[in-house]
Amino acid sequence: MQVTPRVIAFHYTLKNPSGEVLDSSSGAEPLRFLEGAGQIIPGLESQLVILQVGDKRTIQVVAAQAYGDVDPSLMMEVPRARLGVERELEIGDQFSTRGPNGEPGGVFTVVKLEGENVTLDGNHPLAGVDLSFEIEIMSMRDATQTELSHGHAHDGAGHHH
Ligand code: ZN
């Protein structure tokens, strides 16, 4: 038997282990995703797909199943001059990198400024953070053929990308 993947819409409030709210869909449209398409972190998806419409849960996702553990090889100290930036740098500034063929690389964030050196961190801001999602399932429906061919969910109002 072939099962059509579903499009699941849910509201969420994301907190870190200290209880700080990192993100929330409150006051906005619920987040929609196509089942099995890798649109949301796997550790969250696996716990959402077994729920029913109307269910409210707090779902814990450990860092390794969310944005991954911190990869020390993505932390690097470089001379400020090598960045080729004229203005003053600040903690939190971000740089996009390009691969050898001009393809988009990672995003690096300035995490430390010391003398002539800058420490850049290419880890996702939520790498190494255990996440807690308070969620409510708003709707579940079969995905449309268009959604299946695009590999993502569309909202009810039409086609937005
Ligand atoms: Zn599409």
Side-chain angles (χ1 to χ4, degrees):
M1 189 179 90
Q2 193 166 354
V3 178
T4 305
R6 295 166 299 172
V7 167
I8 300 173
F10 66 103
H11 273 297
Y12 68 95
T13 296
L14 168 61
K15 294 179 179 175
N16 66 14
S18 329
E20 277 175 81
V21 174
L22 302 176
D23 195 10
S24 174
S25 64
S26 171
E29 285 289 297
L31 188 64
R32 285 182 177 77
F33 71 97
L34 173 63
E35 206 175 358
Q39 286 195 271
I40 63 171
I41 55 174
L44 179 60
E45 177 163 348
S46 63
Q47 297 184 74
L48 284 180
V49 296
I50 55 174
L51 299 177
Q52 309 287 328
V53 173
D55 281 352
K56 292 182 182 184
R57 293 281 190 286
T58 298
I59 294 177
Q60 313 286 344
V61 184
V62 296
Q65 287 173 34
Y67 293 94
D69 293 317
V70 172
D71 179 354
S73 74
L74 291 175
M75 303 272 290
M76 62 189 75
E77 196 173 344
V78 298
R80 195 181 290 243
R82 249 191 65 195
L83 292 172
V85 177
E86 309 253 328
R87 64 187 167 78
E88 279 301 302
L89 289 170
E90 289 175 25
I91 303 285
D93 282 352
Q94 293 191 316
F95 297 90
S96 299
T97 57
R98 295 258 162 205
N101 301 311
E103 69 273 18
V107 173
F108 285 79
T109 306
V110 174
V111 294
K112 195 167 105 181
L113 296 165
E114 196 170 58
E116 282 311 300
N117 287 329
V118 179
T119 304
L120 298 173
D121 184 357
N123 286 287
H124 189 281
L126 292 178
V129 180
D130 294 331
L131 304 177
S132 171
F133 292 87
E134 288 164 15
I135 63 94
E136 179 177 3
I137 305 286
M138 305 308 290
S139 68
M140 290 179 159
R141 60 166 170 81
D142 286 348
T144 64
Q145 282 305 320
T146 317
E147 287 172 325
L148 292 174
S149 67
H150 287 198
H152 54 230
H154 293 157
D155 70 24
H159 197 156
H160 296 281
H161 282 107

